[in-house]
């Protein structure tokens, strides 16, 4: 009987046991569950840091499954071919997974679902990566939202439902199919010596995510509104890496934030709103997938962006050597920790796209290679928002001044001291770690002089404004 056959649970960006709709449904069915992760073309193509982070996540998730008497079967190849082979080997009658929303995953999953259904396999996708499915949020006219505030107004009162508990038991199949060895995949290869440095700062897995959420709600959320903009303090939740790989569900985070708001904890509403930005990014990626590749506002196609990555300015920006302390601190923080404070993300993006007149896609790709919390939707929206080419974007002429930003948000110089070694008698470990992490071929040393600015801030600003005005005349 088909109902007795095992279920293949295809894990992707949902490496958790708690609040997992597909896993809970599979366990409730009473059938054997075979968890599988596929290293397919799309996963192979991840940037260096997200791929390294995925490897760490898979390691921890495999152990969590083992504690439940289950396993994570690892296979490499095209998703359809791998699933077909596993169906043959195990007699599975169903393949279930949690939905993804980027266009490449949607195209792959749509094809896989159709092919599986064709051969009589119960192929099902479940929600869980988002609070609200993008197609369920509509304007009064039946369209999609292009501006955050009305989007937020339309969803903030919704109840996304309570998070589900982790299953007590995951029934194992009579015989396990063979699995690749995670070490053989060498997912951290492109990180070279940087991996060991980032590992000091990275926390991985569902248990770590739950711990972080709990401590943030207990101690951090109260001061979140005031502290979230200060890059030199630990004032935000630090959950983005976990959310990116689905080691915690947004429902779980939302539920904790809502409870904190009900208890009157200051900052909780602001925190929920930030989760709203993540939803908004996905809403836009679903309705306009070109946000990942093209100027969302087509009039920007005429802008004379520089996108020649051989240019010294772009190389210096990537290396955190622009001579502008806030910009360099942000880029170095990312290189060392795999993450960058949100205020710094805005400042480095503004500097690249405005002072250096560089195409936002150059910066977006660098983030995609260096961020352990890389998220396709939030990254694209963030870059287009800052560049001015995106939906609900900051106007181009509002150019961040990295010096005044520093005076405002890092008055005591905590952030720049933490990340820039040059010029300090006794630099902290964080600042020195940058020189351990970067490739030797960059030839950098903490004893070097701090670089001169690539361009005066006033001069860069005026040049950007001239280019912007020129664009309007084109
Ligand atoms: C140019 C640029 C690129 C970015 N790239 C990414 C990316 O690749 N991955 C990523 O997760 N975020 C990205 N962000 C958004 C934001 O910087 C990070 O989500 C945030 O810094 C993560 O830290 P946290 O978890 O401590 O955030 P908190 O302040 O604690 O916020 C809680 C959660 O809300 C969500 N969130 C917060 N701010 C934003 C935002 N502006 N847009 C979308 N979601 C948000 C995140 O899921 C975050 O974990 C980018 C922002 C900019 C300006």
């Amino acid at each position: 009987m088909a109902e007795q056959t095992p279920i293949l649970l295809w894990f992707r960006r949902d490496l958790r046991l708690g609040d997992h709709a597909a896993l809970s449904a599979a366990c409730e069915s009473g059938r054997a569950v075979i968890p599988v992760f596929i290293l397919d073309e799309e996963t192979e193509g991840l940037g260096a840091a997200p791929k390294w982070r995925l490897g760490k996540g898979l390691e921890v998730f495999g152990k969590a499954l083992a504690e439940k008497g289950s396993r994570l079967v690892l296979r490499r190849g095209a998703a359809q071919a791998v699933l077909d082979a596993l169906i043959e080997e195990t007699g599975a009658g169903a393949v279930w997974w949690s939905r993804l929303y980027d266009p490449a995953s949607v195209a792959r999953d749509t094809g896989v679902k159709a092919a599986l259904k064709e051969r009589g396999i119960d192929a099902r996708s479940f929600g869980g990566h988002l609070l609200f499915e993008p197609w369920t949020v509509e304007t009064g006219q039946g369209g999609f939202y292009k501006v955050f505030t009305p989007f937020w107004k339309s969803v903030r009162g919704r109840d996304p439902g309570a998070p589900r508990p982790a299953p007590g038991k995951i029934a194992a199949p009579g015989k396990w199919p063979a699995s690749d060895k995670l070490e053989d995949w060498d997912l951290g290869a492109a990180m070279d010596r940087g991996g060991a440095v980032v590992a000091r700062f990275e926390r991985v897995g569902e248990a770590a995510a739950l711990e972080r959420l709990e401590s943030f709600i207990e101690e951090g959320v109260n001061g979140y509104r005031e502290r979230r903009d200060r890059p030199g303090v630990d004032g935000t939740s630090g959950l983005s890496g976990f959310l990116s790989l689905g080691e915690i569900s947004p429902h779980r985070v939302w539920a904790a934030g809502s409870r904190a708001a009900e208890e009157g904890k200051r900052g909780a509403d602001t925190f929920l709103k930030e989760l709203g930005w993540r939803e908004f990014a996905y809403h836009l990626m679903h309705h306009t997938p070109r946000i990942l590749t093209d100027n969302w506002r087509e009039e920007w196609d005429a802008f004379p962006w520089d996108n020649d990555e051989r240019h010294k300015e772009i190389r210096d920006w990537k290396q955190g050597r622009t001579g502008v302390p806030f910009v360099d601190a942000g880029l170095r923080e990312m290189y060392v920790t795999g993450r960058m404070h949100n205020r710094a993300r805005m400042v480095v993006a503004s500097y690249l796209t405005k002072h250096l007149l560089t195409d936002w896609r150059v910066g977006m790709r660098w983030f995609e290679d260096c961020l352990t919390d890389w998220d396709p939707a939030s990254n694209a929206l963030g870059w287009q928002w800052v560049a001015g080419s995106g939906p609900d974007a900051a106007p181009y002429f509002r150019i961040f001044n990295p010096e005044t930003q520093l005076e405002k948000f890092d008055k005591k110089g905590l952030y720049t001291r933490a990340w820039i070694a040059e010029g300090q008698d006794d630099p902290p470990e964080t600042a020195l770690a940058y020189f351990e992490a970067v490739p030797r071929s960059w030839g950098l040393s903490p004893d070097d002089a701090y670089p001169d600015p690539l361009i005066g801030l006033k001069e860069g600003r005026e040049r950007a404004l001239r280019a912007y005005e020129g664009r309007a005349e084109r």
Side-chain angles (χ1 to χ4, degrees):
M1 255 164 52
E3 290 70 27
Q4 300 307 318
T5 60
I7 298 169
L8 292 176
L9 218 321
W10 179 18
F11 284 91
R12 298 100 62 86
R13 290 191 167 270
D14 50 349
L15 305 184
R16 64 178 180 275
L17 301 175
D19 196 32
H20 193 299
L23 179 64
S24 293
C27 291
E28 280 158 21
S29 75
R31 293 157 68 179
V33 178
I34 304 176
V36 53
F37 184 88
I38 303 173
L39 182 60
D40 67 351
E41 204 178 52
E42 205 191 322
T43 331
E44 290 274 18
L46 285 172
K51 201 167 175 182
W52 171 88
R53 177 64 176 80
L54 172 67
K56 299 286 169 205
L58 290 173
E59 188 184 336
V60 173
F61 187 54
K63 286 183 187 151
L65 281 167
E67 279 170 20
K68 294 270 179 193
S70 185
R71 288 185 194 174
L72 184 60
V73 174
L74 304 175
R75 291 283 176 104
R76 185 177 215 150
Q80 183 66 58
V82 168
L83 293 170
D84 282 345
L86 282 169
I87 288 165
E88 289 304 319
E89 290 169 39
T90 63
V95 183
W96 295 356
W97 63 81
S98 310
R99 227 165 273 135
L100 289 174
Y101 303 85
D102 59 285
S105 299
V106 170
R108 176 194 60 198
D109 297 351
T110 308
V112 166
K113 195 182 245 180
L116 291 174
K117 283 194 165 164
E118 176 100 21
R119 61 180 286 194
I121 300 291
D122 167 18
R124 266 190 241 180
S125 57
F126 292 72
H129 197 59
L130 296 179
L131 293 165
F132 317 109
E133 296 297 352
W135 48 88
T136 66
V137 185
E138 282 187 345
T139 64
Q141 290 74 43
F144 65 97
Y145 286 99
K146 301 176 181 102
V147 177
F148 176 72
T149 304
F151 170 84
W152 175 236
K153 273 195 191 142
S154 82
V155 296
R156 74 175 164 197
R158 282 197 192 185
D159 177 9
R164 297 174 178 78
K169 190 171 172 294
I170 305 172
K175 184 170 176 286
W176 282 99
S179 168
D180 289 358
K181 283 206 176 74
L182 186 59
E183 310 86 84
D184 294 343
W185 284 2
D186 202 5
L187 295 176
M191 286 287 271
D192 199 8
R193 63 189 192 135
V197 175
V198 178
R200 291 179 210 154
F201 298 89
E202 193 71 25
R203 304 196 52 214
V204 178
E206 187 173 8
L210 293 170
E211 216 175 273
R212 178 78 205 189
L213 174 65
E214 195 179 320
S215 69
F216 175 71
I217 294 294
E218 282 301 307
E219 296 150 27
V221 78
N222 236 340
Y224 179 73
R225 200 168 37 212
E226 299 79 30
R227 287 162 59 87
R228 62 180 285 267
D229 262 324
R230 288 162 47 194
V233 302
D234 184 15
T236 65
S237 72
L239 289 171
S240 51
F242 301 115
L243 281 165
S244 158
L245 279 184
E247 291 169 338
I248 195 165
S249 72
H251 289 74
R252 171 94 52 209
V253 182
W254 179 271
S258 301
R259 221 171 25 250
E262 278 159 25
E263 288 166 6
K265 288 196 166 136
R266 288 180 309 109
D269 283 330
T270 312
F271 178 61
L272 291 172
K273 195 168 172 181
E274 293 308 313
L275 288 174
W277 272 99
R278 179 177 180 273
E279 297 290 315
F280 183 51
Y282 274 85
H283 181 74
L284 287 165
M285 182 172 70
H286 170 75
H287 289 286
T288 49
R290 65 187 169 79
I291 194 171
L292 300 182
T293 49
D294 299 346
N295 292 312
W296 195 86
R297 292 173 189 276
E298 284 168 15
E299 65 270 26
W300 278 87
D301 291 349
F303 193 80
W305 302 115
D306 178 9
N307 47 34
D308 186 342
E309 301 203 23
R310 290 166 306 181
H311 285 161
K312 177 181 179 314
E313 287 78 8
I314 297 180
R315 193 198 60 205
D316 286 350
W317 178 87
K318 286 184 180 174
Q319 295 189 348
R321 291 170 43 78
T322 64
V324 181
F326 203 164
V327 174
D328 293 343
L331 290 157
R332 293 178 189 203
E333 181 193 17
M334 176 167 69
Y335 216 89
V336 170
T337 66
R339 314 219 5 255
M340 193 196 295
H341 192 275
N342 182 58
R343 175 65 39 188
R345 292 187 209 216
M346 292 192 283
V347 169
V348 306
S350 170
Y351 185 79
L352 184 74
T353 55
K354 297 179 181 177
H355 288 89
L356 299 184
L357 288 179
T358 300
D359 196 323
W360 55 270
R361 282 161 284 218
V362 170
M364 183 181 73
R365 281 196 296 270
W366 185 241
F367 273 30
E368 186 170 338
D369 213 25
C370 297
L371 282 175
T372 52
D373 72 0
W374 174 71
D375 177 282
S378 301
N379 196 30
L381 177 62
W383 275 96
Q384 295 231 44
W385 184 86
V386 176
S389 57
D392 199 9
Y396 186 82
F397 53 80
R398 209 173 286 155
I399 296 175
F400 281 93
N401 178 326
E403 272 173 9
T404 46
Q405 287 282 308
L406 205 57
E407 277 157 29
K408 196 163 169 204
F409 298 110
D410 188 41
K411 252 193 202 86
K412 294 185 183 152
L414 297 175
Y415 189 58
T416 46
R417 270 205 304 282
W419 297 111
I420 299 178
E422 297 96 315
Q424 293 197 57
D425 292 335
D426 187 16
E429 269 177 42
T430 43
L432 292 172
Y434 171 71
F435 297 89
E436 281 177 65
V438 298
R440 285 198 181 83
S441 61
W442 289 8
L444 304 180
S445 152
D447 300 327
D448 294 343
Y450 184 61
D452 290 332
L454 289 173
I455 185 166
L457 291 179
K458 186 161 176 277
E459 186 191 342
R461 179 189 152 78
E462 284 166 4
R463 185 176 69 174
L465 289 175
R466 277 198 306 278
Y468 176 68
E469 277 149 23
R471 174 208 70 119
E473 283 158 17
R474 250 163 252 258

